[in-house]
């Protein structure tokens, strides 16, 4: 099974599995190192030759297509004497930050000078915006792709930064996943540079510490990580609210940044806490079941943070959603127990959106479990997703018009290995975030991620998680 982060032709990679090459500046010279376990033991290095980059561990070489790309740090010949000194000092600080654990580690930013992306955007670079790649720690592309999508979910980012500014006290606050995420977002937002590469090492370490599912070097699922992250943030906010409410020193619980505070009615009943995660991502569904014998309708509401949609070959997101909300007949072994009839009866069942979320996250179910093989198979079906989405036929909520702003793409033909990248709209531009690489793309490029019209195709880049933001009606 191949390494989850290996993408031929996209970055320098050793030909051996589970290895990767990074360019680093050392004494004003660009060298290369491999992050494989063997490198950590032998401290081997890559050396530059006329034919390509050679790994001292015995790898045959690295992707030659990457040689034309500029290294992150300029070479000594391109710098004046004063700049050489500053580059050497900065490189030493970054090396120290990479080696240490704690505060300095999370503030290590790689990259100097004007980036290629800045030159590409020029005067069209959005004011106050930052475009930073995230370092990959072997198999953390699933994490990087989701983090980028969440960062450019503007309401979520703003509220997380507000939480960081008002309620984050580094002196006595207990570190958790939320504080690590807030630190990472603040690091990007407060950076003096417009572009660069940031190491989310502290955040990834916290994720692996809290959930053993993400501790291995195996390929992980980006959707599972998104669900884990959002639910974990909600749990932390609810715990913090409960702590503040029960504290005798708390005199103004209404100021907690978790969201609206619901006061007790006659000190008897408290409404559920609504955090800013709920405000952004949570919607509600109504599940209606109608008995075909007595025509009694039973309705049950349930909340969701994303919708997981079954897909079909050569279809569209609109048609898949139509199937998701279509009426289903319950009969034979699936009969419904009607409380009014006190027996099993045939029934009609359907779902509709009762309250639409501000940010609609749609998960395309591309991984199907095959019982005969006892394993998951990736469905490369072609599913066209629109830039503008309307849910009027499936919802009672009048505010159901959305605009696409992010797509998490799975690259690969199998379910147990591959890679994740994000395509994100920022301002008037679409950008591709591929771990530590950020490039401007055309909007038409999104069509290449619809999927394959044939089962076996050379195209393995498929849209997996879609992020839509609510559009205010004029």
């Amino acid at each position: 099974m191949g390494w989850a982060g290996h993408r031929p032709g996209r970055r320098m990679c050793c030909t051996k599995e589970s290895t990767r090459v990074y360019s680093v500046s050392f004494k004003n010279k660009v060298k290369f190192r491999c992050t494989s376990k063997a490198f950590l033991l032998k401290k081997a290095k890559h050396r530059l030759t006329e034919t390509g980059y050679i790994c001292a561990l015995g790898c045959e070489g690295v992707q030659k297509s990457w040689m034309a790309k500029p290294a992150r740090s300029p070479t000594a010949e391109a710098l004046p004497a004063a700049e050489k000194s500053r580059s050497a000092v900065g490189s030493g600080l970054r090396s120290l930050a990479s080696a240490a654990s704690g505060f300095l580690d999370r503030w290590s930013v790689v990259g100097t000078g004007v980036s290629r992306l800045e030159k590409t955007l020029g005067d069209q670079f959005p004011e106050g915006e930052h475009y930073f790649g995230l370092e990959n720690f072997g198999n953390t592309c699933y994490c990087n792709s989701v983090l980028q999508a969440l960062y450019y979910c503007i309401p979520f980012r703003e509220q997380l930064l507000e939480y960081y500014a008002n309620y984050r006290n580094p002196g006595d606050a207990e570190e958790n996943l939320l504080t690590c995420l807030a630190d990472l977002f603040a690091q990007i937002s407060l950076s003096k540079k417009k572009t660069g590469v940031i190491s989310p090492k502290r955040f990834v370490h916290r994720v692996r510490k809290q959930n053993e599912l993400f501790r291995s070097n195996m390929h992980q699922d980006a959707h599972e990580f998104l669900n884990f992250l959002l639910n974990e943030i909600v749990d932390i906010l609810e715990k913090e609210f409960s702590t503040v409410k029960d504290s005798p020193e708390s005199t103004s619980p209404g100021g907690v940044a978790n969201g609206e505070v619901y006061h007790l009615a006659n000190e008897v009943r408290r409404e559920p806490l609504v955090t800013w995660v709920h405000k952004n991502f949570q919607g509600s569904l109504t599940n209606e079941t109608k008995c075909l014998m007595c025509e009694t309708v039973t309705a049950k509401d349930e909340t969701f943070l994303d919708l997981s949609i079954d897909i079909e070959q050569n279809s569209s997101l609109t048609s898949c959603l139509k199937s998701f909300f279509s009426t289903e007949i319950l009969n034979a072994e699936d009969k419904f127990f009607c409380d009014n009839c006190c027996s099993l009866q045939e029934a009609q069942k359907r779902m509709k959106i009762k309250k639409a979320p501000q940010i609609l996250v749609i998960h395309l179910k591309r991984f199907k479990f095959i019982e005969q093989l006892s394993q998951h198979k990736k469905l490369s079906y072609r599913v066209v997703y629109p830039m503008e989405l309307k849910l009027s036929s499936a919802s009672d909520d009048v505010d159901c018009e959305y605009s696409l702003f992010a797509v998490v793409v799975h690259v690969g033909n199998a379910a147990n290995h591959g890679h994740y990248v994000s395509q994100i709209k920022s301002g008037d531009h679409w950008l591709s975030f591929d771990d530590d690489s950020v490039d401007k793309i055309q909007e038409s490029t999104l069509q290449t991620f619809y999927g394959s019209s044939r089962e076996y195709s050379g195209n393995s880049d498929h849209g997996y998680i879609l992020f839509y933001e609510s559009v205010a009606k004029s």
Side-chain angles (χ1 to χ4, degrees), residues 4-7 10-11 136 139-146 148 218-225 363 366-367 378 407-412 414-423 432-436 462-465:
H6 180 67
R7 302 171 304 289
R10 295 196 179 190
R11 72 174 62 251
N136 188 318
N139 72 326
T140 56
C141 55
Y142 70 92
C143 173
N144 291 345
S145 59
V146 169
Q148 296 288 15
M218 301 294 290
H219 182 61
Q220 305 294 343
D221 188 285
H223 178 245
E224 290 182 0
F225 172 71
H363 163 231
R366 289 198 175 274
F367 302 113
K378 181 179 179 181
V407 180
V408 173
V409 176
H410 181 267
V411 181
N416 57 357
H417 63 83
H419 179 57
Y420 289 101
V421 297
S422 289
Q423 317 301 320
S432 176
F433 290 81
D434 184 355
D435 287 337
D436 53 9
H462 308 129
Y464 185 48
I465 309 175

Side-chain angles (χ1 to χ4, degrees), residues 58-70:
C59 299
E60 298 175 2
V62 295
Q63 298 294 332
K64 203 170 181 179
S65 61
W66 224 74
M67 290 184 63
K69 283 194 173 184

